[in-house]
Amino acid sequence: MTDTVTGTPQPAAPRPFGLLAELTYRCPLACAYCSNPIELARYDDELDTAEWQRVFTEAADLGVLQCHLSGGEPLLRRDLPELVRTANELGMYTNLVTSAIGLSRSRAAGLRDAGLDHVQVSVQADEPATSDRIAGIRSFERKVAACRLVRELGWPLTVNVVLHRQNIDRVAAILDLVEELQADRVELANTQYYGWAWKNRTALLPSREQLDRAEEVVTAARERLRGRMEVVHVLPDYYSRYPKPCMGGWAERQLTVAPDGDALPCPAAQTLPLPRASVREASLAAIWTEHPLFTAYRGDSWMQDPCRTCDRKDLDLGGCRCQAFQLTGDAAATDPVCHLSPAHDLVEAAVETANRPGPVDVELVPRLRHL
């Protein structure tokens, strides 16, 4: 097989194991760090029930084992139980990624009966005032009640907290809350700067001092909670010496399908200047194995120096293509978070701004509530 963008021979496509099904970008929250696209109205023509069921069937045939049902807010889809049942019957492990707004007892019971395996609830902070301010609506008490309902109904519970300048100093209290909620897992994931988060980067990027304090708290919590709760802490790319191996490699292990049927190697790839791939126009197998969007950066033949000759290229895989394009305009460039990148000064400048003395005098731009 030959890459239709670079013209270079490509190895046979690997088999994906994870599907992120972004069922809708509609959402009652207005989080300023949201990674959903800015132009939300473009995705209003959502796949219907039958189309999603076909996507799930094709994904299972490709080898997908995990189906993550996300958004936006997937609970806004009335057919959610039907979609869960389909994925369950196809043998996929189903995970609901939700704000929990709308997770009533009757709705939860219906999802449990449909075979839902796991629930991941987003929480913005540890107490109502901060949480509601970040979320853009009064939601904290409903989130806490939903977490308790999840545990009552016997589901494994993951609590996801996106960390940033506005809440990272509360990480100890956040961990106390998550422990009280008896979560099995907590993801403390520093903001990734795409979508709305990119617009708000200056107001969201924490200082080095904030990160160091948080890391100390998390390290102690891991020891204290060992064997009771898994604590995952994802540091911000901008403070890393080397980039993360984004998505485990471009179109290597996971794929995303957006509400309108766009198929993507990662959730932010719609920003790249590559041909659009749609499940309404081609099978998932054809898209995964041969579409230019999926083959463009698979493997390492596309790499430029310093990645091409770097002894770490099989470890970090060149970093994030979407971040490289966003910062440099060249999706094949070395991810600028890498200290070896010729464009690393772009990241250094953002970090320098985040570490200036005094408050950051920038207002957050909330995500548009799109219902």
Side-chain angles (χ1 to χ4, degrees):
M1 184 171 63
T2 300
D3 188 320
T4 55
V5 173
T6 65
T8 55
Q10 294 290 301
R15 293 171 70 85
F17 73 82
L19 167 67
L20 177 63
E22 296 185 317
L23 302 180
T24 180
Y25 285 149
R26 291 173 287 143
C27 184
L29 304 187
C31 305
Y33 57 76
C34 183
S35 61
N36 283 170
I38 299 295
E39 298 175 1
L40 294 171
R42 172 188 159 191
Y43 299 90
D44 283 349
D45 184 18
E46 297 175 1
L47 298 180
D48 62 25
T49 306
E51 288 174 311
W52 273 117
Q53 289 173 322
R54 175 177 59 80
V55 169
F56 290 175
T57 300
E58 293 178 359
D61 289 344
L62 266 176
V64 167
L65 300 174
Q66 299 176 359
C67 182
H68 303 277
L69 304 158
S70 181
E73 178 45 68
L75 287 168
L76 291 172
R77 291 280 304 219
R78 294 183 178 181
D79 59 355
L80 183 58
E82 193 172 349
L83 297 178
V84 168
R85 182 172 289 105
T86 296
N88 178 266
E89 290 173 351
L90 288 166
M92 291 189 283
Y93 184 89
T94 53
N95 174 35
L96 178 64
V97 183
T98 177
S99 70
I101 304 301
L103 188 63
S104 64
R105 181 172 294 274
S106 61
R107 197 82 197 280
L111 291 169
R112 184 185 57 182
D113 292 345
L116 183 67
D117 292 301
H118 182 276
V119 179
Q120 175 178 313
V121 177
S122 68
V123 173
Q124 282 67 37
D126 61 288
E127 51 84 33
T130 305
S131 181
D132 294 349
R133 175 176 59 81
I134 294 170
I137 65 168
R138 293 182 62 180
S139 56
F140 177 78
E141 300 297 345
R142 284 181 283 177
K143 287 172 175 286
V144 168
C147 287
R148 291 182 173 137
L149 176 61
V150 167
R151 296 303 289 148
E152 180 186 333
L153 294 178
W155 275 308
L157 171 64
T158 293
V159 173
N160 175 265
V161 186
V162 176
L163 295 179
H164 45 78
R165 193 179 191 93
Q166 310 288 322
N167 68 357
I168 194 169
D169 293 328
R170 305 189 65 92
V171 70
I174 288 169
L175 282 164
D176 287 343
L177 171 66
V178 176
E179 183 179 4
E180 179 193 338
L181 294 172
Q182 300 181 328
D184 300 281
R185 187 171 191 263
V186 58
E187 295 179 355
L188 302 167
N190 273 272
T191 303
Q192 300 294 309
Y193 294 101
Y194 308 110
W196 296 87
W198 172 249
K199 291 175 72 72
N200 287 296
R201 186 182 67 174
T202 300
L204 293 173
L205 187 63
S207 68
R208 168 65 70 182
E209 184 179 356
Q210 286 181 301
L211 286 171
D212 288 345
R213 287 197 302 264
E215 179 67 16
E216 185 176 340
V217 170
V218 172
T219 299
R222 278 203 183 108
E223 289 301 314
R224 178 171 57 83
L225 297 169
R226 188 180 302 278
R228 289 190 288 141
M229 183 171 72
E230 182 183 4
V231 179
V232 178
H233 188 204
V234 181
L235 295 173
D237 288 356
Y238 281 45
Y239 285 92
S240 299
R241 185 169 172 81
Y242 297 104
K244 297 180 181 67
C246 187
M247 304 298 292
W250 184 268
E252 291 283 339
R253 304 169 69 185
Q254 303 181 60
L255 72 158
T256 296
V257 176
D260 66 342
D262 279 356
L264 304 162
C266 81
Q270 72 272 77
T271 62
L272 300 184
L274 290 170
R276 175 175 173 266
S278 174
V279 298
R280 285 173 163 157
E281 298 168 3
S283 70
L284 208 56
I287 291 170
W288 176 261
T289 57
E290 61 192 40
H291 195 281
L293 177 59
F294 281 72
T295 61
Y297 305 111
R298 184 178 275 150
D300 59 16
S301 61
W302 55 271
M303 289 183 180
Q304 305 173 3
D305 281 330
C307 289
R308 186 192 305 274
T309 55
C310 182
D311 59 7
R312 289 183 55 89
K313 73 176 182 179
D314 293 329
L315 297 175
D316 57 42
L317 311 176
C320 178
R321 298 304 87 225
C322 301
Q323 190 158 254
F325 177 73
Q326 186 163 252
L327 290 169
T328 72
D330 179 4
T334 298
D335 188 336
V337 305
C338 181
H339 76 286
L340 299 173
S341 167
H344 185 59
D345 61 303
L346 298 173
V347 172
E348 289 181 319
V351 169
E352 181 182 353
T353 298
N355 285 276
R356 288 175 183 164
V360 173
D361 188 22
V362 178
E363 280 192 37
L364 287 169
V365 179
R367 178 197 191 272
L368 294 177
R369 276 201 294 276
H370 191 63
L371 298 170

PDB file of all heavy atoms in Angstrom, residues 207-237:
ATOM      1  N   SER A 207       1.121  27.820  36.184  1.00  0.00           N
ATOM      2  CA  SER A 207       2.524  28.152  36.375  1.00  0.00           C
ATOM      3  C   SER A 207       3.294  26.911  36.810  1.00  0.00           C
ATOM      4  O   SER A 207       2.713  25.908  37.247  1.00  0.00           O
ATOM      5  CB  SER A 207       2.676  29.247  37.433  1.00  0.00           C
ATOM      6  OG  SER A 207       2.316  28.735  38.714  1.00  0.00           O
ATOM      7  N   ARG A 208       4.609  26.976  36.711  1.00  0.00           N
ATOM      8  CA  ARG A 208       5.455  25.878  37.171  1.00  0.00           C
ATOM      9  C   ARG A 208       5.258  25.634  38.662  1.00  0.00           C
ATOM     10  O   ARG A 208       5.211  24.497  39.122  1.00  0.00           O
ATOM     11  CB  ARG A 208       6.926  26.204  36.867  1.00  0.00           C
ATOM     12  CG  ARG A 208       7.932  25.284  37.536  1.00  0.00           C
ATOM     13  CD  ARG A 208       7.831  23.858  37.042  1.00  0.00           C
ATOM     14  NE  ARG A 208       8.301  23.735  35.678  1.00  0.00           N
ATOM     15  CZ  ARG A 208       8.290  22.607  34.992  1.00  0.00           C
ATOM     16  NH1 ARG A 208       7.787  21.512  35.558  1.00  0.00           N
ATOM     17  NH2 ARG A 208       8.730  22.556  33.748  1.00  0.00           N
ATOM     18  N   GLU A 209       5.123  26.700  39.443  1.00  0.00           N
ATOM     19  CA  GLU A 209       4.918  26.556  40.877  1.00  0.00           C
ATOM     20  C   GLU A 209       3.621  25.810  41.170  1.00  0.00           C
ATOM     21  O   GLU A 209       3.578  24.932  42.040  1.00  0.00           O
ATOM     22  CB  GLU A 209       4.894  27.933  41.536  1.00  0.00           C
ATOM     23  CG  GLU A 209       4.786  27.899  43.046  1.00  0.00           C
ATOM     24  CD  GLU A 209       4.780  29.277  43.674  1.00  0.00           C
ATOM     25  OE1 GLU A 209       4.939  30.270  42.929  1.00  0.00           O
ATOM     26  OE2 GLU A 209       4.601  29.368  44.901  1.00  0.00           O
ATOM     27  N   GLN A 210       2.553  26.135  40.438  1.00  0.00           N
ATOM     28  CA  GLN A 210       1.293  25.426  40.624  1.00  0.00           C
ATOM     29  C   GLN A 210       1.441  23.946  40.300  1.00  0.00           C
ATOM     30  O   GLN A 210       0.935  23.078  41.020  1.00  0.00           O
ATOM     31  CB  GLN A 210       0.205  26.042  39.735  1.00  0.00           C
ATOM     32  CG  GLN A 210      -0.319  27.384  40.200  1.00  0.00           C
ATOM     33  CD  GLN A 210      -1.401  27.907  39.276  1.00  0.00           C
ATOM     34  OE1 GLN A 210      -1.165  28.101  38.081  1.00  0.00           O
ATOM     35  NE2 GLN A 210      -2.585  28.121  39.817  1.00  0.00           N
ATOM     36  N   LEU A 211       2.131  23.640  39.214  1.00  0.00           N
ATOM     37  CA  LEU A 211       2.320  22.245  38.807  1.00  0.00           C
ATOM     38  C   LEU A 211       3.128  21.465  39.837  1.00  0.00           C
ATOM     39  O   LEU A 211       2.798  20.315  40.153  1.00  0.00           O
ATOM     40  CB  LEU A 211       3.020  22.186  37.455  1.00  0.00           C
ATOM     41  CG  LEU A 211       2.193  22.563  36.233  1.00  0.00           C
ATOM     42  CD1 LEU A 211       3.089  22.655  35.011  1.00  0.00           C
ATOM     43  CD2 LEU A 211       1.083  21.555  36.001  1.00  0.00           C
ATOM     44  N   ASP A 212       4.167  22.086  40.357  1.00  0.00           N
ATOM     45  CA  ASP A 212       5.008  21.398  41.342  1.00  0.00           C
ATOM     46  C   ASP A 212       4.212  21.085  42.609  1.00  0.00           C
ATOM     47  O   ASP A 212       4.332  19.988  43.178  1.00  0.00           O
ATOM     48  CB  ASP A 212       6.224  22.256  41.678  1.00  0.00           C
ATOM     49  CG  ASP A 212       7.238  22.307  40.534  1.00  0.00           C
ATOM     50  OD1 ASP A 212       7.135  21.472  39.609  1.00  0.00           O
ATOM     51  OD2 ASP A 212       8.120  23.189  40.566  1.00  0.00           O
ATOM     52  N   ARG A 213       3.394  22.042  43.062  1.00  0.00           N
ATOM     53  CA  ARG A 213       2.583  21.804  44.258  1.00  0.00           C
ATOM     54  C   ARG A 213       1.590  20.671  44.007  1.00  0.00           C
ATOM     55  O   ARG A 213       1.383  19.797  44.854  1.00  0.00           O
ATOM     56  CB  ARG A 213       1.838  23.073  44.668  1.00  0.00           C
ATOM     57  CG  ARG A 213       2.709  24.155  45.283  1.00  0.00           C
ATOM     58  CD  ARG A 213       1.854  25.167  46.032  1.00  0.00           C
ATOM     59  NE  ARG A 213       0.858  25.804  45.191  1.00  0.00           N
ATOM     60  CZ  ARG A 213       1.014  26.980  44.587  1.00  0.00           C
ATOM     61  NH1 ARG A 213       2.163  27.653  44.733  1.00  0.00           N
ATOM     62  NH2 ARG A 213       0.051  27.485  43.845  1.00  0.00           N
ATOM     63  N   ALA A 214       0.963  20.690  42.838  1.00  0.00           N
ATOM     64  CA  ALA A 214      -0.023  19.660  42.505  1.00  0.00           C
ATOM     65  C   ALA A 214       0.628  18.289  42.420  1.00  0.00           C
ATOM     66  O   ALA A 214       0.077  17.283  42.895  1.00  0.00           O
ATOM     67  CB  ALA A 214      -0.725  20.002  41.194  1.00  0.00           C
ATOM     68  N   GLU A 215       1.816  18.212  41.824  1.00  0.00           N
ATOM     69  CA  GLU A 215       2.514  16.937  41.688  1.00  0.00           C
ATOM     70  C   GLU A 215       2.847  16.354  43.061  1.00  0.00           C
ATOM     71  O   GLU A 215       2.735  15.135  43.282  1.00  0.00           O
ATOM     72  CB  GLU A 215       3.793  17.130  40.869  1.00  0.00           C
ATOM     73  CG  GLU A 215       4.623  15.870  40.684  1.00  0.00           C
ATOM     74  CD  GLU A 215       3.940  14.821  39.818  1.00  0.00           C
ATOM     75  OE1 GLU A 215       2.974  15.135  39.108  1.00  0.00           O
ATOM     76  OE2 GLU A 215       4.400  13.656  39.861  1.00  0.00           O
ATOM     77  N   GLU A 216       3.208  17.200  43.990  1.00  0.00           N
ATOM     78  CA  GLU A 216       3.506  16.740  45.349  1.00  0.00           C
ATOM     79  C   GLU A 216       2.254  16.153  46.004  1.00  0.00           C
ATOM     80  O   GLU A 216       2.309  15.094  46.643  1.00  0.00           O
ATOM     81  CB  GLU A 216       4.050  17.908  46.176  1.00  0.00           C
ATOM     82  CG  GLU A 216       4.514  17.535  47.564  1.00  0.00           C
ATOM     83  CD  GLU A 216       5.131  18.705  48.310  1.00  0.00           C
ATOM     84  OE1 GLU A 216       5.536  19.685  47.653  1.00  0.00           O
ATOM     85  OE2 GLU A 216       5.199  18.648  49.557  1.00  0.00           O
ATOM     86  N   VAL A 217       1.120  16.832  45.820  1.00  0.00           N
ATOM     87  CA  VAL A 217      -0.142  16.353  46.389  1.00  0.00           C
ATOM     88  C   VAL A 217      -0.541  15.024  45.764  1.00  0.00           C
ATOM     89  O   VAL A 217      -0.943  14.073  46.460  1.00  0.00           O
ATOM     90  CB  VAL A 217      -1.254  17.397  46.183  1.00  0.00           C
ATOM     91  CG1 VAL A 217      -2.621  16.816  46.541  1.00  0.00           C
ATOM     92  CG2 VAL A 217      -0.981  18.642  47.021  1.00  0.00           C
ATOM     93  N   VAL A 218      -0.419  14.921  44.442  1.00  0.00           N
ATOM     94  CA  VAL A 218      -0.827  13.706  43.738  1.00  0.00           C
ATOM     95  C   VAL A 218       0.064  12.527  44.124  1.00  0.00           C
ATOM     96  O   VAL A 218      -0.419  11.403  44.322  1.00  0.00           O
ATOM     97  CB  VAL A 218      -0.807  13.932  42.214  1.00  0.00           C
ATOM     98  CG1 VAL A 218      -1.039  12.621  41.472  1.00  0.00           C
ATOM     99  CG2 VAL A 218      -1.872  14.944  41.811  1.00  0.00           C
ATOM    100  N   THR A 219       1.359  12.756  44.244  1.00  0.00           N
ATOM    101  CA  THR A 219       2.277  11.684  44.630  1.00  0.00           C
ATOM    102  C   THR A 219       1.903  11.109  45.995  1.00  0.00           C
ATOM    103  O   THR A 219       1.871   9.883  46.187  1.00  0.00           O
ATOM    104  CB  THR A 219       3.728  12.205  44.648  1.00  0.00           C
ATOM    105  OG1 THR A 219       4.081  12.647  43.334  1.00  0.00           O
ATOM    106  CG2 THR A 219       4.688  11.109  45.086  1.00  0.00           C
ATOM    107  N   ALA A 220       1.604  11.995  46.955  1.00  0.00           N
ATOM    108  CA  ALA A 220       1.203  11.535  48.287  1.00  0.00           C
ATOM    109  C   ALA A 220      -0.125  10.785  48.230  1.00  0.00           C
ATOM    110  O   ALA A 220      -0.304   9.764  48.907  1.00  0.00           O
ATOM    111  CB  ALA A 220       1.100  12.729  49.231  1.00  0.00           C
ATOM    112  N   ALA A 221      -1.061  11.264  47.408  1.00  0.00           N
ATOM    113  CA  ALA A 221      -2.372  10.618  47.298  1.00  0.00           C
ATOM    114  C   ALA A 221      -2.253   9.233  46.676  1.00  0.00           C
ATOM    115  O   ALA A 221      -2.965   8.306  47.075  1.00  0.00           O
ATOM    116  CB  ALA A 221      -3.313  11.489  46.473  1.00  0.00           C
ATOM    117  N   ARG A 222      -1.372   9.070  45.706  1.00  0.00           N
ATOM    118  CA  ARG A 222      -1.174   7.746  45.096  1.00  0.00           C
ATOM    119  C   ARG A 222      -0.754   6.725  46.150  1.00  0.00           C
ATOM    120  O   ARG A 222      -1.229   5.586  46.155  1.00  0.00           O
ATOM    121  CB  ARG A 222      -0.098   7.830  44.008  1.00  0.00           C
ATOM    122  CG  ARG A 222      -0.589   8.337  42.667  1.00  0.00           C
ATOM    123  CD  ARG A 222       0.332   7.882  41.567  1.00  0.00           C
ATOM    124  NE  ARG A 222      -0.078   8.399  40.288  1.00  0.00           N
ATOM    125  CZ  ARG A 222       0.559   9.360  39.620  1.00  0.00           C
ATOM    126  NH1 ARG A 222       1.642   9.906  40.140  1.00  0.00           N
ATOM    127  NH2 ARG A 222       0.122   9.771  38.455  1.00  0.00           N
ATOM    128  N   GLU A 223       0.144   7.121  47.014  1.00  0.00           N
ATOM    129  CA  GLU A 223       0.589   6.217  48.067  1.00  0.00           C
ATOM    130  C   GLU A 223      -0.544   5.907  49.038  1.00  0.00           C
ATOM    131  O   GLU A 223      -0.767   4.760  49.417  1.00  0.00           O
ATOM    132  CB  GLU A 223       1.781   6.829  48.813  1.00  0.00           C
ATOM    133  CG  GLU A 223       3.063   6.858  48.007  1.00  0.00           C
ATOM    134  CD  GLU A 223       3.503   5.465  47.579  1.00  0.00           C
ATOM    135  OE1 GLU A 223       3.496   4.545  48.427  1.00  0.00           O
ATOM    136  OE2 GLU A 223       3.830   5.291  46.387  1.00  0.00           O
ATOM    137  N   ARG A 224      -1.266   6.934  49.434  1.00  0.00           N
ATOM    138  CA  ARG A 224      -2.337   6.761  50.416  1.00  0.00           C
ATOM    139  C   ARG A 224      -3.479   5.908  49.871  1.00  0.00           C
ATOM    140  O   ARG A 224      -4.106   5.149  50.605  1.00  0.00           O
ATOM    141  CB  ARG A 224      -2.852   8.140  50.835  1.00  0.00           C
ATOM    142  CG  ARG A 224      -4.000   8.124  51.830  1.00  0.00           C
ATOM    143  CD  ARG A 224      -4.274   9.522  52.350  1.00  0.00           C
ATOM    144  NE  ARG A 224      -4.556  10.469  51.297  1.00  0.00           N
ATOM    145  CZ  ARG A 224      -5.749  10.625  50.727  1.00  0.00           C
ATOM    146  NH1 ARG A 224      -6.770   9.875  51.116  1.00  0.00           N
ATOM    147  NH2 ARG A 224      -5.931  11.532  49.782  1.00  0.00           N
ATOM    148  N   LEU A 225      -3.767   6.036  48.562  1.00  0.00           N
ATOM    149  CA  LEU A 225      -4.920   5.375  47.966  1.00  0.00           C
ATOM    150  C   LEU A 225      -4.559   4.091  47.220  1.00  0.00           C
ATOM    151  O   LEU A 225      -5.429   3.496  46.572  1.00  0.00           O
ATOM    152  CB  LEU A 225      -5.626   6.343  47.003  1.00  0.00           C
ATOM    153  CG  LEU A 225      -6.204   7.612  47.653  1.00  0.00           C
ATOM    154  CD1 LEU A 225      -6.628   8.611  46.598  1.00  0.00           C
ATOM    155  CD2 LEU A 225      -7.372   7.256  48.568  1.00  0.00           C
ATOM    156  N   ARG A 226      -3.297   3.688  47.309  1.00  0.00           N
ATOM    157  CA  ARG A 226      -2.849   2.505  46.579  1.00  0.00           C
ATOM    158  C   ARG A 226      -3.719   1.293  46.936  1.00  0.00           C
ATOM    159  O   ARG A 226      -3.962   1.007  48.111  1.00  0.00           O
ATOM    160  CB  ARG A 226      -1.389   2.206  46.906  1.00  0.00           C
ATOM    161  CG  ARG A 226      -0.773   1.099  46.056  1.00  0.00           C
ATOM    162  CD  ARG A 226       0.675   0.868  46.430  1.00  0.00           C
ATOM    163  NE  ARG A 226       1.472   2.070  46.290  1.00  0.00           N
ATOM    164  CZ  ARG A 226       1.989   2.513  45.134  1.00  0.00           C
ATOM    165  NH1 ARG A 226       1.757   1.814  44.020  1.00  0.00           N
ATOM    166  NH2 ARG A 226       2.707   3.608  45.096  1.00  0.00           N
ATOM    167  N   GLY A 227      -4.213   0.605  45.908  1.00  0.00           N
ATOM    168  CA  GLY A 227      -5.057  -0.561  46.108  1.00  0.00           C
ATOM    169  C   GLY A 227      -6.526  -0.237  46.267  1.00  0.00           C
ATOM    170  O   GLY A 227      -7.368  -1.138  46.237  1.00  0.00           O
ATOM    171  N   ARG A 228      -6.860   1.054  46.444  1.00  0.00           N
ATOM    172  CA  ARG A 228      -8.262   1.463  46.594  1.00  0.00           C
ATOM    173  C   ARG A 228      -8.760   2.286  45.414  1.00  0.00           C
ATOM    174  O   ARG A 228      -9.911   2.168  45.003  1.00  0.00           O
ATOM    175  CB  ARG A 228      -8.441   2.283  47.880  1.00  0.00           C
ATOM    176  CG  ARG A 228      -8.311   1.458  49.142  1.00  0.00           C
ATOM    177  CD  ARG A 228      -8.748   2.274  50.341  1.00  0.00           C
ATOM    178  NE  ARG A 228      -7.784   3.307  50.684  1.00  0.00           N
ATOM    179  CZ  ARG A 228      -8.100   4.537  51.093  1.00  0.00           C
ATOM    180  NH1 ARG A 228      -9.364   4.898  51.155  1.00  0.00           N
ATOM    181  NH2 ARG A 228      -7.152   5.398  51.422  1.00  0.00           N
ATOM    182  N   MET A 229      -7.877   3.141  44.872  1.00  0.00           N
ATOM    183  CA  MET A 229      -8.296   3.985  43.756  1.00  0.00           C
ATOM    184  C   MET A 229      -7.084   4.283  42.882  1.00  0.00           C
ATOM    185  O   MET A 229      -6.013   4.640  43.384  1.00  0.00           O
ATOM    186  CB  MET A 229      -8.913   5.298  44.273  1.00  0.00           C
ATOM    187  CG  MET A 229      -9.443   6.202  43.174  1.00  0.00           C
ATOM    188  SD  MET A 229     -10.392   7.587  43.864  1.00  0.00           S
ATOM    189  CE  MET A 229      -9.079   8.586  44.571  1.00  0.00           C
ATOM    190  N   GLU A 230      -7.251   4.126  41.580  1.00  0.00           N
ATOM    191  CA  GLU A 230      -6.183   4.457  40.638  1.00  0.00           C
ATOM    192  C   GLU A 230      -6.166   5.969  40.424  1.00  0.00           C
ATOM    193  O   GLU A 230      -7.199   6.570  40.131  1.00  0.00           O
ATOM    194  CB  GLU A 230      -6.397   3.732  39.310  1.00  0.00           C
ATOM    195  CG  GLU A 230      -5.295   3.995  38.299  1.00  0.00           C
ATOM    196  CD  GLU A 230      -5.545   3.325  36.959  1.00  0.00           C
ATOM    197  OE1 GLU A 230      -6.615   2.708  36.786  1.00  0.00           O
ATOM    198  OE2 GLU A 230      -4.671   3.431  36.076  1.00  0.00           O
ATOM    199  N   VAL A 231      -5.004   6.558  40.561  1.00  0.00           N
ATOM    200  CA  VAL A 231      -4.854   8.008  40.380  1.00  0.00           C
ATOM    201  C   VAL A 231      -3.980   8.252  39.152  1.00  0.00           C
ATOM    202  O   VAL A 231      -2.787   7.938  39.149  1.00  0.00           O
ATOM    203  CB  VAL A 231      -4.230   8.678  41.614  1.00  0.00           C
ATOM    204  CG1 VAL A 231      -4.075  10.178  41.391  1.00  0.00           C
ATOM    205  CG2 VAL A 231      -5.074   8.408  42.861  1.00  0.00           C
ATOM    206  N   VAL A 232      -4.582   8.791  38.106  1.00  0.00           N
ATOM    207  CA  VAL A 232      -3.866   9.096  36.866  1.00  0.00           C
ATOM    208  C   VAL A 232      -3.642  10.601  36.809  1.00  0.00           C
ATOM    209  O   VAL A 232      -4.588  11.386  36.977  1.00  0.00           O
ATOM    210  CB  VAL A 232      -4.677   8.642  35.635  1.00  0.00           C
ATOM    211  CG1 VAL A 232      -3.947   9.017  34.348  1.00  0.00           C
ATOM    212  CG2 VAL A 232      -4.931   7.142  35.694  1.00  0.00           C
ATOM    213  N   HIS A 233      -2.418  11.011  36.581  1.00  0.00           N
ATOM    214  CA  HIS A 233      -2.083  12.430  36.512  1.00  0.00           C
ATOM    215  C   HIS A 233      -1.374  12.698  35.195  1.00  0.00           C
ATOM    216  O   HIS A 233      -0.272  12.184  34.960  1.00  0.00           O
ATOM    217  CB  HIS A 233      -1.183  12.824  37.688  1.00  0.00           C
ATOM    218  CG  HIS A 233      -0.944  14.285  37.815  1.00  0.00           C
ATOM    219  ND1 HIS A 233       0.156  14.818  38.452  1.00  0.00           N
ATOM    220  CD2 HIS A 233      -1.674  15.344  37.380  1.00  0.00           C
ATOM    221  CE1 HIS A 233       0.102  16.136  38.418  1.00  0.00           C
ATOM    222  NE2 HIS A 233      -0.999  16.484  37.778  1.00  0.00           N
ATOM    223  N   VAL A 234      -2.012  13.465  34.324  1.00  0.00           N
ATOM    224  CA  VAL A 234      -1.450  13.776  33.011  1.00  0.00           C
ATOM    225  C   VAL A 234      -0.925  15.206  33.051  1.00  0.00           C
ATOM    226  O   VAL A 234      -1.687  16.162  33.182  1.00  0.00           O
ATOM    227  CB  VAL A 234      -2.510  13.628  31.902  1.00  0.00           C
ATOM    228  CG1 VAL A 234      -1.880  13.929  30.540  1.00  0.00           C
ATOM    229  CG2 VAL A 234      -3.106  12.228  31.924  1.00  0.00           C
ATOM    230  N   LEU A 235       0.398  15.348  32.934  1.00  0.00           N
ATOM    231  CA  LEU A 235       1.023  16.668  32.986  1.00  0.00           C
ATOM    232  C   LEU A 235       0.793  17.414  31.675  1.00  0.00           C
ATOM    233  O   LEU A 235       0.610  16.802  30.624  1.00  0.00           O
ATOM    234  CB  LEU A 235       2.520  16.527  33.251  1.00  0.00           C
ATOM    235  CG  LEU A 235       2.895  15.938  34.609  1.00  0.00           C
ATOM    236  CD1 LEU A 235       4.399  15.688  34.679  1.00  0.00           C
ATOM    237  CD2 LEU A 235       2.459  16.863  35.733  1.00  0.00           C
ATOM    238  N   PRO A 236       0.820  18.745  31.719  1.00  0.00           N
ATOM    239  CA  PRO A 236       0.623  19.510  30.476  1.00  0.00           C
ATOM    240  C   PRO A 236       1.810  19.359  29.537  1.00  0.00           C
ATOM    241  O   PRO A 236       2.969  19.381  29.969  1.00  0.00           O
ATOM    242  CB  PRO A 236       0.481  20.956  30.969  1.00  0.00           C
ATOM    243  CG  PRO A 236       1.145  20.986  32.298  1.00  0.00           C
ATOM    244  CD  PRO A 236       0.975  19.617  32.890  1.00  0.00           C
ATOM    245  N   ASP A 237       1.529  19.189  28.257  1.00  0.00           N
ATOM    246  CA  ASP A 237       2.586  19.035  27.260  1.00  0.00           C
ATOM    247  C   ASP A 237       3.601  20.174  27.327  1.00  0.00           C
ATOM    248  O   ASP A 237       4.803  19.963  27.140  1.00  0.00           O
ATOM    249  CB  ASP A 237       1.982  19.010  25.850  1.00  0.00           C
ATOM    250  CG  ASP A 237       1.235  17.731  25.555  1.00  0.00           C
ATOM    251  OD1 ASP A 237       1.239  16.833  26.411  1.00  0.00           O
ATOM    252  OD2 ASP A 237       0.634  17.637  24.473  1.00  0.00           O
TER     253      ASP A 237
END
